[in-house]
Amino acid sequence: MYLEPSLIPGPQQTINISAKLIQSIKILQYSAEELEQSIAQELSENPAFEVEEFEQCTRCGAPLTGTSCPACGAQADSSANETQAAEDVSWDDYREDYAASLATAGEDEGYDPLTFVRSGDTLQEHLLVQLGSILPWEDQEIAEYLVGNLDSHGYLTVTVAEASVALGVTDTRVECVLTALQGLDPIGIGARDLRECLLIQLRAFRERDKPNPLAESLVARYLGALGEHHFLDIGRDLNVTSTQVKRAWRFIKANLNPFPAHAFDGMPGNSSAGPGAGDQAVLIKPDVIIRRTTVGFESEVIEQRRFRFALHPTYHALTSNGVLRGLPDNERQHVRHYAARAKFFIECVCQRWETLRRICEALIELQPNFLDRGVRCLRPLTRGELATHVGLHESTVSRATAGKYVLLPSGRTIPFDDFFDSSLATKDTLRELIATENPARPFSDEDLAALLCERGLPVARRTVAKYRESMRILPSRFRI
């Protein structure tokens, strides 16, 4: 039998993802900010698309009727209040007061109008102003380079050698500028590591006639051993008692700041967030609200109340009354294209809202005890189980809940992921056990595992250690 290759056409089934389906999936998984940007882009590009936006509370999503939210009491955007306040100012009175202040200024040689302006400098500007008053002008470039290479905690991220090569100056000049920088407020700024940061602060105590020689020795020579609580070994090496070492260690913990840049937020006259602001808690806007009612719980998608979409009246009239037949081909294609695009965009966003609503209603049905009594009553739940209950694909549930938040009836805002994290109840119990332990004899991880088992939460010792580390709680020997 002779065989030879040949092409024979035949039917074959394949899955093709259309561009519309891809766009629908993207809109589903958008965060609230990304959806807002997408709506703004569609509004600017599509003349057939119209949107009406209603002002809402940034904390709970309730409609605003004045300067404060009627639901949670949060204040409205301060910029609106400031604008109204500016409109209410009597500028004639203001000019009279200002003229009077200028008249009295000559009587006081120390008068400076700029002192009445609240400072909004960043930490970098604050440091450069100080350095500009103590350094010669030829060293200002070095100062700007060093200040520009401080990280968010206030540590210098380049070496003296790297700075000298980058600027084409000697190491001595860089060292002099660095010494001046390290003498500024906040104390400890410009250090190259933790040891140098703490020593700079201890040196400031010595200059204020409050020296602590033992603390300086501990930081300079035994910082690692001190962190591991080897008080007895350190005392033996320094010929002091372990009690004295502990006393110096407590002084270091109570008076020294390992993150000097964070202290800038609390400096007088500073109204800016400063570099440490990134570590502060930020307001999380919920995507969905779950409320307690007289008959149970109900959910609401905040975006659905915030936006109202429509087709432009002109395009709606052209597409619904058969007027397109009398238009030229290019105009008819234009109207059809943008009208269809606007309708599809509106359908995708509405489908997003409907999916979120169905998921939240299912969570209310599956996790009522968690909503009613808190995290201790959170039952194990997977996205696959939720998808089966709702009648959606698991990937759809994952996309719809990723990066989105829920405002609970208790007032807490949590990510959707918390509904599927079965470890939260164990972590909450673990946190309570550690908070109520005897400070003189803290529980070991093995002790904590046994106590959790007694409360019906069987976990291994290594699991306790993993949970403890995720909550940034130190081991027992460091909690003394």
Side-chain angles (χ1 to χ4, degrees), residues 318-393:
L318 290 174
T319 55
S320 59
N321 297 332
V323 185
L324 286 177
R325 298 173 185 174
L327 296 177
D329 290 343
N330 59 340
E331 294 183 5
R332 185 163 55 247
Q333 291 177 0
H334 168 88
V335 172
R336 285 176 174 171
H337 169 73
Y338 283 109
R341 173 175 167 176
K343 289 179 181 178
F344 176 71
F345 184 83
I346 295 173
E347 289 175 2
C348 289
V349 177
C350 291
Q351 184 179 1
R352 164 195 170 99
W353 294 342
E354 176 63 17
T355 303
L356 281 173
R357 186 192 62 79
R358 291 174 60 187
I359 289 174
C360 286
E361 289 182 353
L363 289 173
I364 290 173
E365 185 178 346
L366 296 173
Q367 298 282 16
N369 293 331
F370 167 62
L371 297 173
D372 189 31
R373 298 196 291 271
V375 70
R376 298 287 180 89
C377 300
L378 183 66
R379 58 157 285 197
L381 179 68
T382 64
R383 288 177 175 82
E385 294 173 358
L386 178 63
T388 302
H389 186 85
V390 178
L392 298 172
H393 195 275

Side-chain angles (χ1 to χ4, degrees), residues 301-321:
V301 180
I302 295 180
E303 299 165 357
Q304 196 166 1
R305 186 168 54 185
R306 179 182 176 186
F307 298 106
R308 183 176 297 167
F309 304 126
L311 197 64
H312 192 281
T314 302
Y315 286 80
H316 178 72
L318 290 174
T319 55
S320 59
N321 297 332

Side-chain angles (χ1 to χ4, degrees), residues 186-452:
I187 302 299
I189 201 76
R192 286 159 284 192
D193 53 37
L194 176 60
R195 177 177 281 102
E196 186 176 26
C197 177
L198 300 181
L199 286 175
I200 292 172
Q201 297 176 60
L202 288 170
R203 191 183 309 129
F205 273 98
R206 192 189 330 131
E207 293 172 353
R208 295 197 299 266
D209 294 328
K210 297 179 181 179
N212 195 321
L214 181 55
E216 293 187 38
S217 298
L218 293 177
V219 171
R221 299 168 54 189
Y222 302 98
L223 191 58
L226 192 65
E228 296 177 357
H229 289 196
H230 295 164
F231 303 132
L232 192 60
D233 296 337
I234 297 173
R236 189 182 299 114
D237 200 22
L238 290 175
N239 197 25
V240 296
T241 65
S242 60
T243 303
Q244 291 175 298
V245 176
K246 286 184 180 179
R247 190 179 300 118
W249 169 68
R250 293 191 184 98
F251 174 84
I252 293 171
K253 288 183 62 178
N255 296 281
L256 305 187
N257 183 6
F259 306 116
H262 297 191
F264 179 69
D265 293 342
M267 293 181 65
N270 176 46
S271 61
S272 64
D279 300 322
Q280 305 298 324
V282 296
L283 177 64
I284 298 177
K285 298 180 181 180
D287 299 270
V288 179
I289 300 174
I290 297 180
R291 296 187 181 91
R292 187 189 302 273
T293 65
T294 55
V295 294
F297 298 98
E298 66 176 11
S299 64
E300 179 183 4
V301 180
I302 295 180
E303 299 165 357
Q304 196 166 1
R305 186 168 54 185
R306 179 182 176 186
F307 298 106
R308 183 176 297 167
F309 304 126
L311 197 64
H312 192 281
T314 302
Y315 286 80
H316 178 72
L318 290 174
T319 55
S320 59
N321 297 332
V323 185
L324 286 177
R325 298 173 185 174
L327 296 177
D329 290 343
N330 59 340
E331 294 183 5
R332 185 163 55 247
Q333 291 177 0
H334 168 88
V335 172
R336 285 176 174 171
H337 169 73
Y338 283 109
R341 173 175 167 176
K343 289 179 181 178
F344 176 71
F345 184 83
I346 295 173
E347 289 175 2
C348 289
V349 177
C350 291
Q351 184 179 1
R352 164 195 170 99
W353 294 342
E354 176 63 17
T355 303
L356 281 173
R357 186 192 62 79
R358 291 174 60 187
I359 289 174
C360 286
E361 289 182 353
L363 289 173
I364 290 173
E365 185 178 346
L366 296 173
Q367 298 282 16
N369 293 331
F370 167 62
L371 297 173
D372 189 31
R373 298 196 291 271
V375 70
R376 298 287 180 89
C377 300
L378 183 66
R379 58 157 285 197
L381 179 68
T382 64
R383 288 177 175 82
E385 294 173 358
L386 178 63
T388 302
H389 186 85
V390 178
L392 298 172
H393 195 275
E394 184 176 354
S395 63
T396 303
V397 173
S398 298
R399 290 189 179 97
T401 58
K404 299 180 181 64
Y405 295 85
V406 183
L407 179 62
L408 301 180
S410 62
R412 291 180 57 234
T413 301
I414 65 170
F416 269 99
D417 295 342
D418 283 5
F419 284 96
F420 312 102
D421 189 353
S422 58
S423 68
L424 291 180
T426 305
K427 289 180 179 178
D428 190 65
T429 307
L430 180 63
R431 186 182 293 108
E432 179 186 302
L433 290 172
I434 294 176
T436 58
E437 68 185 1
N438 184 356
R441 299 186 62 184
F443 295 127
S444 65
D445 291 344
E446 190 172 352
D447 295 335
L448 292 170
L451 292 172
L452 289 171

